[in-house]
Amino acid sequence: MLIKIGIIIDNIAKAGGTERAISSLCNGLMRFHPQDYDLTIISLFSKKNDQPFFELHPAIQIQHLEKTNDFRWWNKISWYKKLVADLRQINTENAFDVLLGTTYVHNILLPLMVSNSNTKSVGCEHVVYHYPPKVFQTIRKFVYPQLDAVIVLNKTEQEHFRFLKNTAVIPNSLPFENDQSATLNAKKIINAGRLTHEKGVDLLIDMYENIYRQAPDWELNIYGDGEDFEALQSKIKQKGLEPYIKLCGSVKNISESYLQSSVFVLSSRSESFGIVIIEAMNHGLPVISFDCDGPKNIIENGKSGFLIPQFDTKEFSEKLLLLIQDQQQRMQMGAEALKASYQYKENKIIPMWNRQIQSLLENR
């Protein structure tokens, strides 16, 4: 008998890390357990004719709710009540065995969506513990114990949720497995992610203002889109860095860009995991990142890359220059990064999800 799972996501047509992770999870479940699962992605803000940004297995269904997120304080409660009512109806119509949320807002609302049903509720945390506004952090403490499971991405996040007894650590899996490694000869540095304040690309641009003077034949390529695109483009222009830094937008096949690079850098102010880190490592790239919750659970400092004390832009720049100037160190760290990435292969991560789901349903 098929296990029916509904997965709530903000917008499956967007190119964010959560969308990448959920697409990988769904594809993996269908690849490894095609006879066991019936998967429906419920995309809140996408339109009926929107296509998922990341490729999905043809058996995966998508329901586009076409919600608008232009609500204001005076209609926020009614907007959320309507959302819960719509999702309760979808749950009733589909008779999901499991309903899974992918943001703290979804997760807080999950108990209302599944009440008076046999559906198990699973909240997935894709941001660091302290990221939500304080009011949501407080509500979360009261609501999350009502969920059947809370999935976090690493042990650091699990420790933050130590007041819960229903957590499990399941990292994101590699969205694709690469059979080539970068030569690390190209004079290119790569960064990828949403262009928002949280991702700290502004800090990276400031740092590169000093880097390019000592390595003028190298370039920094930044992949991704987001609300800060125009501001970051202006910053690059104001500093006269256009020959050295390129904003490349979102691309569907970022693998080619990893292969043409020699170092991956991540300057996020906070990061719950960093799926781009394991992607880069799987292409044999050494990684430099600030030492925040996600990266410190992936990168072995001094071996597969460098973890830099948070916001220490001086040390970050020094380590980046070291890897620019020392090809042997790049090669050694890149080889270690590649080996470290293997623990995130689908054949390691998907069985963890399958066991978690089966365990929940055994207890019905």
Side-chain angles (χ1 to χ4, degrees), residues 161-181:
F161 283 103
R162 59 186 175 275
F163 59 90
L164 296 175
K165 297 179 180 178
N166 57 350
T167 60
V169 176
I170 306 180
N172 289 328
S173 66
L174 281 163
F176 49 85
E177 290 185 24
N178 179 58
D179 57 3
Q180 298 181 65
S181 292

Side-chain angles (χ1 to χ4, degrees), residues 57-168:
H57 189 284
I60 298 166
Q61 302 166 70
I62 303 175
Q63 285 192 243
H64 302 278
L65 297 198
E66 302 189 286
K67 297 287 183 183
T68 57
N69 58 358
D70 56 352
F71 52 77
R72 298 294 183 265
W73 64 268
W74 61 83
N75 69 342
K76 189 174 286 191
I77 292 175
S78 61
W79 190 94
Y80 280 121
K81 285 177 69 175
K82 179 66 166 63
L83 175 64
V84 169
D86 290 346
L87 289 167
R88 280 178 63 87
Q89 182 177 345
I90 290 170
N91 186 46
T92 300
E93 290 171 353
N94 288 273
F96 291 126
D97 295 295
V98 178
L99 189 61
L100 189 148
T102 59
T103 73
Y104 59 86
V105 175
H106 308 161
N107 301 340
I108 286 170
L109 297 175
L110 272 175
L112 297 174
M113 298 173 194
V114 303
S115 62
N116 300 317
S117 76
N118 292 321
T119 305
K120 295 292 186 179
S121 56
V122 177
C124 295
E125 287 289 303
H126 287 277
V127 295
V128 294
Y129 180 80
H130 297 292
Y131 178 79
K134 292 290 186 185
V135 64
F136 283 101
Q137 292 185 39
T138 300
I139 295 170
R140 193 170 57 180
K141 286 189 174 182
F142 291 100
V143 173
Y144 275 28
Q146 301 173 43
L147 299 176
D148 292 293
V150 175
I151 308 301
V152 296
L153 294 169
N154 56 62
K155 290 189 178 298
T156 303
E157 293 303 314
Q158 188 177 43
E159 178 60 22
H160 289 314
F161 283 103
R162 59 186 175 275
F163 59 90
L164 296 175
K165 297 179 180 178
N166 57 350
T167 60

Side-chain angles (χ1 to χ4, degrees), residues 207 211 288-291 301-302 306-323:
M207 287 187 278
I211 296 291
I288 304 176
S289 170
F290 285 130
D291 187 2
N301 189 34
F306 290 116
L307 289 168
I308 309 300
Q310 197 73 315
F311 307 126
D312 189 340
T313 55
K314 182 174 182 291
E315 184 173 341
F316 198 116
S317 299
E318 288 171 355
K319 289 297 190 286
L320 179 52
L321 277 169
L322 173 63
L323 289 183

Side-chain angles (χ1 to χ4, degrees), residues 28-304:
L29 286 172
M30 296 310 298
R31 248 192 303 274
F32 284 80
H33 303 279
Q35 307 303 316
D36 297 332
Y37 289 102
D38 179 344
L39 304 180
T40 300
I41 293 173
I42 305 161
S43 181
L44 303 187
F45 300 110
S46 56
K47 304 301 181 186
K48 184 169 64 174
N49 295 322
D50 285 349
Q51 295 298 311
F53 186 86
F54 301 106
E55 187 176 349
L56 288 173
H57 189 284
I60 298 166
Q61 302 166 70
I62 303 175
Q63 285 192 243
H64 302 278
L65 297 198
E66 302 189 286
K67 297 287 183 183
T68 57
N69 58 358
D70 56 352
F71 52 77
R72 298 294 183 265
W73 64 268
W74 61 83
N75 69 342
K76 189 174 286 191
I77 292 175
S78 61
W79 190 94
Y80 280 121
K81 285 177 69 175
K82 179 66 166 63
L83 175 64
V84 169
D86 290 346
L87 289 167
R88 280 178 63 87
Q89 182 177 345
I90 290 170
N91 186 46
T92 300
E93 290 171 353
N94 288 273
F96 291 126
D97 295 295
V98 178
L99 189 61
L100 189 148
T102 59
T103 73
Y104 59 86
V105 175
H106 308 161
N107 301 340
I108 286 170
L109 297 175
L110 272 175
L112 297 174
M113 298 173 194
V114 303
S115 62
N116 300 317
S117 76
N118 292 321
T119 305
K120 295 292 186 179
S121 56
V122 177
C124 295
E125 287 289 303
H126 287 277
V127 295
V128 294
Y129 180 80
H130 297 292
Y131 178 79
K134 292 290 186 185
V135 64
F136 283 101
Q137 292 185 39
T138 300
I139 295 170
R140 193 170 57 180
K141 286 189 174 182
F142 291 100
V143 173
Y144 275 28
Q146 301 173 43
L147 299 176
D148 292 293
V150 175
I151 308 301
V152 296
L153 294 169
N154 56 62
K155 290 189 178 298
T156 303
E157 293 303 314
Q158 188 177 43
E159 178 60 22
H160 289 314
F161 283 103
R162 59 186 175 275
F163 59 90
L164 296 175
K165 297 179 180 178
N166 57 350
T167 60
V169 176
I170 306 180
N172 289 328
S173 66
L174 281 163
F176 49 85
E177 290 185 24
N178 179 58
D179 57 3
Q180 298 181 65
S181 292
T183 64
L184 306 188
N185 291 323
K187 295 183 177 181
K188 294 181 180 180
I189 300 151
I190 184 171
N191 166 270
R194 287 180 296 113
L195 301 185
T196 62
H197 177 75
E198 179 194 3
K199 298 299 181 181
V201 177
D202 56 319
L203 303 175
L204 186 56
I205 292 169
D206 288 339
M207 287 187 278
Y208 209 77
E209 190 173 14
N210 297 318
I211 296 291
Y212 91 92
R213 294 191 178 97
Q214 299 180 65
D217 51 345
W218 281 66
E219 64 183 58
L220 169 61
N221 295 311
I222 299 169
Y223 289 85
D225 286 307
E227 62 206 44
D228 289 355
F229 188 98
E230 297 299 331
L232 294 169
Q233 190 70 70
S234 296
K235 187 181 182 79
I236 291 167
K237 186 173 183 179
Q238 288 167 5
K239 290 178 176 290
L241 294 174
E242 289 168 296
Y244 310 102
I245 303 178
K246 300 287 191 299
L247 295 184
C248 305
S250 294
V251 294
K252 294 209 173 187
N253 184 14
I254 198 169
S255 181
E256 293 178 3
S257 303
Y258 288 132
L259 290 172
Q260 294 166 11
S261 304
S262 291
V263 182
F264 182 84
V265 290
L266 194 73
S267 50
S268 297
R269 290 178 165 89
S270 68
E271 194 72 60
S272 62
F273 186 75
I275 202 165
V276 289
I277 296 176
I278 61 173
E279 288 178 356
M281 292 169 70
N282 192 239
H283 289 76
L285 295 182
V287 178
I288 304 176
S289 170
F290 285 130
D291 187 2
C292 46
D293 285 5
K296 72 181 180 184
N297 283 277
I298 301 172
I299 301 165
E300 189 171 350
N301 189 34
K303 190 172 182 181
S304 56

